[in-house]
Amino acid sequence: MKHCILAAVITAAAFISTAAEVQLDLFSSQKHWRSAVKNKNMTYKFDGKEKCMRFFEPCLVKTQFMLPVDKFDKKFTGIIFKVKGDGSDNYGNLTISGTPVLGLRTVFPVKNTQWVEYCAAFKDMAPFSDFSTVPVTAVPGKKFYEIAIGDNRSLGPGNKKRSTFCYWIKDLRLTDREFAENVPPPDAASLEMVIEKLRAKQPVKLLFLGDSITAGTGLKSPATQTYAAVLTEMLKKYFNNPAVSFRTGAVGGFHTYEVLSYLKRDLAEAIPDVVFVLIGYNSRNSGQNKEVYTAHMELLIKRINAETSGKSAIVLLPTVPGVPRFATQQDMAEACRQLAAKYKLTVVNIDKYIEEVGPEQYKAKYLHDSVHPNPEGHKFFAEKIMTAFK
């Protein structure tokens, strides 16, 4: 079936070449687009007047393509496409891929209701799977054959229900333009500087990135019971500073590549004073190895430093165990400690504290199920993180 779809697209496709770009004729009809997952609502619609596709999120819509033979070995450095949004504060995403180890995602705002052209360098995009990494050199066109639009998750940051929204896309091109070299990012701010702000009663903003453990799956009131919320209250009380606030970008089911994908969105509201990162359980569940995990985490650290101009401190929380999965994430946890040492970051070894408790006691006292902390578990996490501020 897959090959039939690909053949149909090859037959129908037309390609317009320029000196630096190859335009993919993906938006002349909706014939070759398909929803990759079942959805009772409309997920995409062709606009014949604008020659574009309209996508309704949550969705995951795909199409396949193949470049002309004479473009197979042409090397590309990025993609260019046009987006018109619905005026909301949401973000859409586009993924170009070829294999599970080669695929890249870019996320874009849909606030603008006029056509806006986006140009995304491959080196600045996010990997799209637990096995893919960001290429450091130009990529031959034959390596790619699929475009995916949208995110089908029903939940957003903090496991809150995602709102429905839409956006239009057209005029997608592969480009071989030369992008400027990335400037080495500055170092992260020190946690000591944040502690001084807390003591001085200055506003301090916290951002928490991660998966369902951080988002508060299983809690009756994630807004008040997560370790993020509990830690915020602890900091307010300890420093007698009411101006401490937190936001969460954590989403149930997130992997390392998804934290990377949505980093710009999570940092768009304001530069946080501290970014806490706890991620990896789902990635290991999908078979991610330590090498790719380390590459993703290192890229995340560099991008946080670059996006915040080194104004945010970063606190790494090594990947924690579950029960019975009590020892399968230890190599990931060690990778976090190694990266913390390399980039002079604060690390709070919650996994070690859990190991001291032991699997039976940890599950009986601190877990809602086999992995998600209950209210006592989130309080346990917050208390251990609090030691870094004392």
Short mmCIF file of all heavy atoms in Angstrom, two decimals, residues 134-188:
data_model
loop_
_atom_site.label_atom_id
_atom_site.label_comp_id
_atom_site.label_asym_id
_atom_site.label_seq_id
_atom_site.Cartn_x
_atom_site.Cartn_y
_atom_site.Cartn_z
N VAL A 134 20.11 15.49 14.47
CA VAL A 134 20.14 16.62 13.54
C VAL A 134 21.42 16.53 12.71
O VAL A 134 22.52 16.43 13.26
CB VAL A 134 20.09 17.95 14.31
CG1 VAL A 134 20.23 19.12 13.36
CG2 VAL A 134 18.77 18.05 15.08
N PRO A 135 21.33 16.56 11.37
CA PRO A 135 22.53 16.45 10.53
C PRO A 135 23.41 17.69 10.65
O PRO A 135 22.92 18.80 10.83
CB PRO A 135 21.96 16.32 9.11
CG PRO A 135 20.61 16.97 9.19
CD PRO A 135 20.10 16.69 10.57
N VAL A 136 24.70 17.47 10.54
CA VAL A 136 25.65 18.59 10.62
C VAL A 136 26.10 19.04 9.23
O VAL A 136 26.77 20.06 9.09
CB VAL A 136 26.88 18.20 11.47
CG1 VAL A 136 26.47 17.95 12.91
CG2 VAL A 136 27.58 16.96 10.90
N THR A 137 25.72 18.29 8.20
CA THR A 137 26.06 18.64 6.83
C THR A 137 24.80 18.58 5.97
O THR A 137 23.75 18.09 6.41
CB THR A 137 27.11 17.69 6.24
OG1 THR A 137 26.62 16.34 6.29
CG2 THR A 137 28.41 17.77 7.04
N ALA A 138 24.90 19.10 4.74
CA ALA A 138 23.76 19.07 3.82
C ALA A 138 23.34 17.63 3.53
O ALA A 138 24.14 16.70 3.59
CB ALA A 138 24.14 19.79 2.52
N VAL A 139 22.04 17.46 3.21
CA VAL A 139 21.46 16.13 3.06
C VAL A 139 21.05 15.90 1.61
O VAL A 139 20.34 16.73 1.02
CB VAL A 139 20.23 15.97 3.97
CG1 VAL A 139 19.64 14.57 3.84
CG2 VAL A 139 20.59 16.27 5.42
N PRO A 140 21.45 14.78 0.98
CA PRO A 140 20.99 14.47 -0.38
C PRO A 140 19.47 14.34 -0.43
O PRO A 140 18.85 13.79 0.48
CB PRO A 140 21.67 13.13 -0.68
CG PRO A 140 22.83 13.06 0.25
CD PRO A 140 22.40 13.77 1.49
N GLY A 141 18.88 14.85 -1.50
CA GLY A 141 17.43 14.83 -1.63
C GLY A 141 16.83 13.44 -1.57
O GLY A 141 15.71 13.28 -1.09
N LYS A 142 17.55 12.43 -2.03
CA LYS A 142 17.00 11.07 -2.04
C LYS A 142 16.78 10.51 -0.65
O LYS A 142 16.12 9.48 -0.49
CB LYS A 142 17.94 10.15 -2.82
CG LYS A 142 19.33 10.01 -2.21
CD LYS A 142 20.23 9.19 -3.11
CE LYS A 142 21.67 9.13 -2.56
NZ LYS A 142 22.55 8.40 -3.48
N LYS A 143 17.29 11.17 0.37
CA LYS A 143 17.12 10.70 1.74
C LYS A 143 15.72 10.97 2.29
O LYS A 143 15.31 10.39 3.28
CB LYS A 143 18.15 11.37 2.66
CG LYS A 143 19.60 11.02 2.36
CD LYS A 143 19.92 9.60 2.78
CE LYS A 143 21.41 9.31 2.63
NZ LYS A 143 21.75 7.94 3.07
N PHE A 144 14.99 11.90 1.64
CA PHE A 144 13.66 12.28 2.13
C PHE A 144 12.57 11.82 1.16
O PHE A 144 12.78 11.83 -0.05
CB PHE A 144 13.55 13.80 2.28
CG PHE A 144 14.46 14.38 3.33
CD1 PHE A 144 15.46 15.27 2.98
CD2 PHE A 144 14.30 14.05 4.67
CE1 PHE A 144 16.29 15.83 3.95
CE2 PHE A 144 15.12 14.60 5.64
CZ PHE A 144 16.12 15.48 5.28
N TYR A 145 11.40 11.46 1.70
CA TYR A 145 10.27 11.17 0.81
C TYR A 145 8.92 11.43 1.44
O TYR A 145 7.88 11.23 0.79
CB TYR A 145 10.33 9.73 0.28
CG TYR A 145 10.05 8.66 1.31
CD1 TYR A 145 8.75 8.34 1.69
CD2 TYR A 145 11.10 7.95 1.88
CE1 TYR A 145 8.49 7.35 2.62
CE2 TYR A 145 10.84 6.96 2.81
CZ TYR A 145 9.54 6.66 3.18
OH TYR A 145 9.30 5.68 4.11
N GLU A 146 8.86 11.88 2.69
CA GLU A 146 7.56 12.05 3.33
C GLU A 146 7.46 13.38 4.06
O GLU A 146 8.43 13.83 4.68
CB GLU A 146 7.30 10.91 4.32
CG GLU A 146 5.90 10.95 4.94
CD GLU A 146 5.59 9.70 5.74
OE1 GLU A 146 6.03 9.63 6.91
OE2 GLU A 146 4.94 8.79 5.19
N ILE A 147 6.29 14.00 3.98
CA ILE A 147 5.97 15.21 4.74
C ILE A 147 4.81 14.88 5.67
O ILE A 147 3.82 14.29 5.26
CB ILE A 147 5.55 16.37 3.81
CG1 ILE A 147 6.67 16.72 2.82
CG2 ILE A 147 5.16 17.60 4.65
CD1 ILE A 147 7.90 17.33 3.44
N ALA A 148 4.94 15.27 6.94
CA ALA A 148 3.86 15.09 7.91
C ALA A 148 3.53 16.44 8.52
O ALA A 148 4.42 17.22 8.83
CB ALA A 148 4.26 14.11 9.00
N ILE A 149 2.26 16.71 8.66
CA ILE A 149 1.78 17.98 9.24
C ILE A 149 0.94 17.68 10.48
O ILE A 149 0.08 16.81 10.47
CB ILE A 149 0.92 18.76 8.23
CG1 ILE A 149 1.63 18.93 6.88
CG2 ILE A 149 0.51 20.11 8.83
CD1 ILE A 149 2.82 19.83 6.91
N GLY A 150 1.19 18.43 11.54
CA GLY A 150 0.32 18.37 12.70
C GLY A 150 0.81 17.51 13.84
O GLY A 150 1.80 16.79 13.75
N ASP A 151 0.08 17.61 14.94
CA ASP A 151 0.34 16.85 16.16
C ASP A 151 -1.01 16.32 16.63
O ASP A 151 -1.91 17.11 16.92
CB ASP A 151 0.98 17.76 17.22
CG ASP A 151 1.36 17.03 18.49
OD1 ASP A 151 0.84 15.92 18.72
OD2 ASP A 151 2.17 17.57 19.27
N ASN A 152 -1.14 15.02 16.70
CA ASN A 152 -2.44 14.43 17.01
C ASN A 152 -2.70 14.29 18.51
O ASN A 152 -3.74 13.77 18.91
CB ASN A 152 -2.56 13.05 16.35
CG ASN A 152 -3.98 12.57 16.27
OD1 ASN A 152 -4.85 13.26 15.73
ND2 ASN A 152 -4.26 11.40 16.84
N ARG A 153 -1.80 14.77 19.36
CA ARG A 153 -2.02 14.65 20.80
C ARG A 153 -3.24 15.47 21.21
O ARG A 153 -3.42 16.60 20.77
CB ARG A 153 -0.80 15.12 21.57
CG ARG A 153 0.42 14.22 21.41
CD ARG A 153 1.54 14.66 22.34
NE ARG A 153 2.72 13.85 22.16
CZ ARG A 153 2.91 12.65 22.67
NH1 ARG A 153 1.96 12.11 23.41
NH2 ARG A 153 4.02 11.98 22.46
N SER A 154 -4.04 14.91 22.09
CA SER A 154 -5.22 15.62 22.58
C SER A 154 -4.89 16.50 23.77
O SER A 154 -5.66 17.40 24.11
CB SER A 154 -6.32 14.62 22.98
OG SER A 154 -5.85 13.76 24.01
N LEU A 155 -3.72 16.26 24.40
CA LEU A 155 -3.32 17.03 25.57
C LEU A 155 -2.12 17.90 25.27
O LEU A 155 -1.25 17.53 24.47
CB LEU A 155 -3.00 16.09 26.73
CG LEU A 155 -4.11 15.17 27.21
CD1 LEU A 155 -3.63 14.28 28.35
CD2 LEU A 155 -5.34 15.97 27.64
N GLY A 156 -2.07 19.06 25.93
CA GLY A 156 -0.97 20.00 25.77
C GLY A 156 -0.21 20.13 27.08
O GLY A 156 -0.28 19.27 27.95
N PRO A 157 0.55 21.22 27.23
CA PRO A 157 1.34 21.44 28.44
C PRO A 157 0.51 21.30 29.71
O PRO A 157 -0.61 21.80 29.79
CB PRO A 157 1.85 22.87 28.26
CG PRO A 157 1.95 23.04 26.78
CD PRO A 157 0.76 22.31 26.24
N GLY A 158 1.08 20.60 30.69
CA GLY A 158 0.37 20.37 31.93
C GLY A 158 -0.78 19.40 31.79
O GLY A 158 -1.64 19.30 32.67
N ASN A 159 -0.78 18.65 30.66
CA ASN A 159 -1.86 17.69 30.36
C ASN A 159 -3.23 18.35 30.25
O ASN A 159 -4.27 17.71 30.43
CB ASN A 159 -1.91 16.56 31.39
CG ASN A 159 -0.87 15.49 31.11
OD1 ASN A 159 -0.15 15.56 30.12
ND2 ASN A 159 -0.77 14.52 32.00
N LYS A 160 -3.24 19.65 29.93
CA LYS A 160 -4.52 20.32 29.69
C LYS A 160 -4.99 20.00 28.27
O LYS A 160 -4.19 19.84 27.36
CB LYS A 160 -4.37 21.84 29.85
CG LYS A 160 -4.06 22.27 31.27
CD LYS A 160 -3.92 23.79 31.36
CE LYS A 160 -3.62 24.23 32.78
NZ LYS A 160 -3.44 25.71 32.87
N LYS A 161 -6.28 19.91 28.10
CA LYS A 161 -6.85 19.58 26.79
C LYS A 161 -6.46 20.64 25.77
O LYS A 161 -6.59 21.84 26.02
CB LYS A 161 -8.37 19.47 26.87
CG LYS A 161 -9.03 19.02 25.58
CD LYS A 161 -10.51 18.82 25.76
CE LYS A 161 -11.19 18.43 24.45
NZ LYS A 161 -10.65 17.18 23.88
N ARG A 162 -5.95 20.19 24.63
CA ARG A 162 -5.56 21.13 23.57
C ARG A 162 -6.80 21.73 22.92
O ARG A 162 -7.79 21.04 22.68
CB ARG A 162 -4.73 20.43 22.50
CG ARG A 162 -3.34 19.99 22.95
CD ARG A 162 -2.62 19.32 21.80
NE ARG A 162 -2.30 20.28 20.76
CZ ARG A 162 -2.07 19.95 19.48
NH1 ARG A 162 -2.19 18.69 19.07
NH2 ARG A 162 -1.76 20.88 18.60
N SER A 163 -6.71 22.99 22.62
CA SER A 163 -7.78 23.64 21.86
C SER A 163 -7.65 23.25 20.40
O SER A 163 -6.58 22.89 19.92
CB SER A 163 -7.69 25.16 22.01
OG SER A 163 -6.45 25.63 21.50
N THR A 164 -8.76 23.32 19.66
CA THR A 164 -8.71 23.08 18.22
C THR A 164 -8.31 24.38 17.52
O THR A 164 -8.68 25.47 17.95
CB THR A 164 -10.07 22.61 17.71
OG1 THR A 164 -11.06 23.59 18.03
CG2 THR A 164 -10.46 21.29 18.34
N PHE A 165 -7.54 24.26 16.47
CA PHE A 165 -7.12 25.43 15.70
C PHE A 165 -6.75 24.97 14.29
O PHE A 165 -6.71 23.76 14.01
CB PHE A 165 -5.95 26.14 16.37
CG PHE A 165 -4.69 25.33 16.48
CD1 PHE A 165 -3.65 25.47 15.57
CD2 PHE A 165 -4.51 24.42 17.52
CE1 PHE A 165 -2.49 24.72 15.68
CE2 PHE A 165 -3.34 23.67 17.65
CZ PHE A 165 -2.34 23.82 16.72
N CYS A 166 -6.52 25.91 13.40
CA CYS A 166 -6.20 25.54 12.03
C CYS A 166 -5.18 26.49 11.44
O CYS A 166 -4.93 27.58 11.95
CB CYS A 166 -7.47 25.52 11.16
SG CYS A 166 -8.19 27.16 10.89
N TYR A 167 -4.58 26.06 10.34
CA TYR A 167 -3.63 26.89 9.60
C TYR A 167 -3.52 26.35 8.18
O TYR A 167 -3.88 25.20 7.90
CB TYR A 167 -2.27 26.92 10.29
CG TYR A 167 -1.71 25.57 10.67
CD1 TYR A 167 -0.90 24.83 9.80
CD2 TYR A 167 -1.98 25.02 11.93
CE1 TYR A 167 -0.39 23.60 10.16
CE2 TYR A 167 -1.47 23.79 12.30
CZ TYR A 167 -0.67 23.09 11.42
OH TYR A 167 -0.18 21.86 11.78
N TRP A 168 -3.05 27.19 7.30
CA TRP A 168 -2.88 26.86 5.89
C TRP A 168 -1.39 26.79 5.57
O TRP A 168 -0.60 27.59 6.08
CB TRP A 168 -3.53 27.92 5.01
CG TRP A 168 -5.02 28.05 5.10
CD1 TRP A 168 -5.93 27.63 4.19
CD2 TRP A 168 -5.79 28.69 6.14
NE1 TRP A 168 -7.21 27.95 4.58
CE2 TRP A 168 -7.16 28.60 5.79
CE3 TRP A 168 -5.44 29.33 7.34
CZ2 TRP A 168 -8.18 29.12 6.58
CZ3 TRP A 168 -6.46 29.84 8.14
CH2 TRP A 168 -7.80 29.73 7.76
N ILE A 169 -1.02 25.86 4.68
CA ILE A 169 0.37 25.74 4.24
C ILE A 169 0.39 25.62 2.72
O ILE A 169 -0.46 24.97 2.12
CB ILE A 169 1.07 24.52 4.86
CG1 ILE A 169 1.18 24.68 6.38
CG2 ILE A 169 2.47 24.33 4.27
CD1 ILE A 169 1.87 23.52 7.07
N LYS A 170 1.38 26.24 2.10
CA LYS A 170 1.58 26.10 0.66
C LYS A 170 3.05 26.35 0.31
O LYS A 170 3.85 26.75 1.16
CB LYS A 170 0.69 27.09 -0.10
CG LYS A 170 1.06 28.56 0.07
CD LYS A 170 0.14 29.43 -0.80
CE LYS A 170 0.49 30.91 -0.67
NZ LYS A 170 -0.38 31.77 -1.52
N ASP A 171 3.37 26.09 -0.94
CA ASP A 171 4.65 26.49 -1.52
C ASP A 171 5.84 25.97 -0.72
O ASP A 171 6.68 26.74 -0.25
CB ASP A 171 4.70 28.03 -1.61
CG ASP A 171 5.85 28.50 -2.48
OD1 ASP A 171 6.36 27.70 -3.29
OD2 ASP A 171 6.24 29.67 -2.35
N LEU A 172 5.93 24.63 -0.60
CA LEU A 172 7.05 24.04 0.14
C LEU A 172 8.19 23.73 -0.81
O LEU A 172 8.01 23.11 -1.85
CB LEU A 172 6.60 22.76 0.85
CG LEU A 172 7.60 22.21 1.88
CD1 LEU A 172 6.86 21.57 3.04
CD2 LEU A 172 8.57 21.22 1.27
N ARG A 173 9.37 24.17 -0.42
CA ARG A 173 10.55 24.01 -1.25
C ARG A 173 11.72 23.46 -0.43
O ARG A 173 11.87 23.80 0.73
CB ARG A 173 10.98 25.35 -1.85
CG ARG A 173 10.01 25.93 -2.87
CD ARG A 173 10.16 27.43 -2.98
NE ARG A 173 9.45 28.11 -1.90
CZ ARG A 173 9.71 29.36 -1.51
NH1 ARG A 173 10.69 30.03 -2.09
NH2 ARG A 173 9.01 29.91 -0.54
N LEU A 174 12.54 22.65 -1.08
CA LEU A 174 13.83 22.28 -0.53
C LEU A 174 14.84 23.32 -1.02
O LEU A 174 14.79 23.74 -2.17
CB LEU A 174 14.25 20.90 -1.01
CG LEU A 174 13.37 19.72 -0.60
CD1 LEU A 174 13.88 18.43 -1.22
CD2 LEU A 174 13.31 19.59 0.91
N THR A 175 15.73 23.72 -0.16
CA THR A 175 16.71 24.74 -0.54
C THR A 175 18.13 24.29 -0.23
O THR A 175 18.36 23.51 0.71
CB THR A 175 16.42 26.07 0.19
OG1 THR A 175 17.37 27.06 -0.22
CG2 THR A 175 16.50 25.91 1.70
N ASP A 176 19.07 24.78 -1.02
CA ASP A 176 20.48 24.51 -0.76
C ASP A 176 21.22 25.79 -0.37
O ASP A 176 22.44 25.85 -0.44
CB ASP A 176 21.15 23.86 -1.97
CG ASP A 176 21.22 24.79 -3.19
OD1 ASP A 176 20.66 25.91 -3.11
OD2 ASP A 176 21.82 24.40 -4.20
N ARG A 177 20.45 26.80 0.05
CA ARG A 177 21.09 28.06 0.41
C ARG A 177 22.07 27.87 1.57
O ARG A 177 21.95 26.95 2.37
CB ARG A 177 20.04 29.10 0.80
CG ARG A 177 19.31 28.83 2.11
CD ARG A 177 18.47 30.02 2.55
NE ARG A 177 17.46 30.39 1.57
CZ ARG A 177 16.59 31.37 1.73
NH1 ARG A 177 16.59 32.07 2.87
NH2 ARG A 177 15.70 31.66 0.81
N GLU A 178 23.04 28.76 1.63
CA GLU A 178 24.01 28.70 2.71
C GLU A 178 23.47 29.46 3.92
O GLU A 178 23.18 30.65 3.83
CB GLU A 178 25.34 29.31 2.26
CG GLU A 178 26.08 28.48 1.22
CD GLU A 178 27.46 29.04 0.92
OE1 GLU A 178 27.97 29.84 1.74
OE2 GLU A 178 28.03 28.69 -0.12
N PHE A 179 23.34 28.77 5.02
CA PHE A 179 22.89 29.39 6.26
C PHE A 179 24.11 29.79 7.08
O PHE A 179 25.14 29.12 7.06
CB PHE A 179 22.02 28.43 7.07
CG PHE A 179 20.68 28.15 6.45
CD1 PHE A 179 20.51 27.09 5.57
CD2 PHE A 179 19.59 28.94 6.74
CE1 PHE A 179 19.28 26.82 5.00
CE2 PHE A 179 18.35 28.69 6.18
CZ PHE A 179 18.19 27.63 5.31
N ALA A 180 23.97 30.88 7.81
CA ALA A 180 25.07 31.34 8.64
C ALA A 180 25.39 30.28 9.70
O ALA A 180 24.50 29.58 10.19
CB ALA A 180 24.70 32.66 9.32
N GLU A 181 26.65 30.20 10.04
CA GLU A 181 27.07 29.28 11.10
C GLU A 181 26.45 29.71 12.42
O GLU A 181 26.32 30.90 12.70
CB GLU A 181 28.60 29.26 11.22
CG GLU A 181 29.31 28.63 10.04
CD GLU A 181 29.03 27.14 9.94
OE1 GLU A 181 28.93 26.48 11.00
OE2 GLU A 181 28.88 26.64 8.81
N ASN A 182 26.05 28.74 13.21
CA ASN A 182 25.49 29.05 14.52
C ASN A 182 26.57 29.56 15.46
O ASN A 182 27.66 28.99 15.55
CB ASN A 182 24.83 27.81 15.14
CG ASN A 182 23.58 27.39 14.40
OD1 ASN A 182 23.02 28.17 13.64
ND2 ASN A 182 23.15 26.16 14.62
N VAL A 183 26.28 30.66 16.13
CA VAL A 183 27.22 31.21 17.10
C VAL A 183 27.20 30.31 18.33
O VAL A 183 26.13 29.93 18.80
CB VAL A 183 26.84 32.65 17.49
CG1 VAL A 183 27.77 33.19 18.56
CG2 VAL A 183 26.84 33.54 16.25
N PRO A 184 28.36 29.93 18.85
CA PRO A 184 28.37 29.09 20.06
C PRO A 184 27.55 29.75 21.17
O PRO A 184 27.73 30.94 21.45
CB PRO A 184 29.85 29.01 20.43
CG PRO A 184 30.57 29.22 19.13
CD PRO A 184 29.72 30.20 18.36
N PRO A 185 26.64 29.01 21.77
CA PRO A 185 25.78 29.62 22.79
C PRO A 185 26.57 29.96 24.05
O PRO A 185 27.60 29.33 24.33
CB PRO A 185 24.74 28.54 23.09
CG PRO A 185 25.44 27.25 22.76
CD PRO A 185 26.33 27.58 21.59
N PRO A 186 26.11 30.93 24.83
CA PRO A 186 26.76 31.24 26.09
C PRO A 186 26.50 30.13 27.11
O PRO A 186 25.66 29.26 26.88
CB PRO A 186 26.10 32.55 26.52
CG PRO A 186 24.75 32.49 25.90
CD PRO A 186 24.93 31.78 24.58
N ASP A 187 27.21 30.17 28.20
CA ASP A 187 26.95 29.22 29.28
C ASP A 187 25.62 29.56 29.94
O ASP A 187 25.13 30.69 29.86
CB ASP A 187 28.06 29.28 30.33
CG ASP A 187 29.39 28.77 29.80
OD1 ASP A 187 29.37 27.99 28.82
OD2 ASP A 187 30.43 29.14 30.36
N ALA A 188 25.05 28.58 30.60
CA ALA A 188 23.82 28.82 31.36
C ALA A 188 24.11 29.69 32.57
O ALA A 188 25.24 29.74 33.08
CB ALA A 188 23.22 27.49 31.81
#
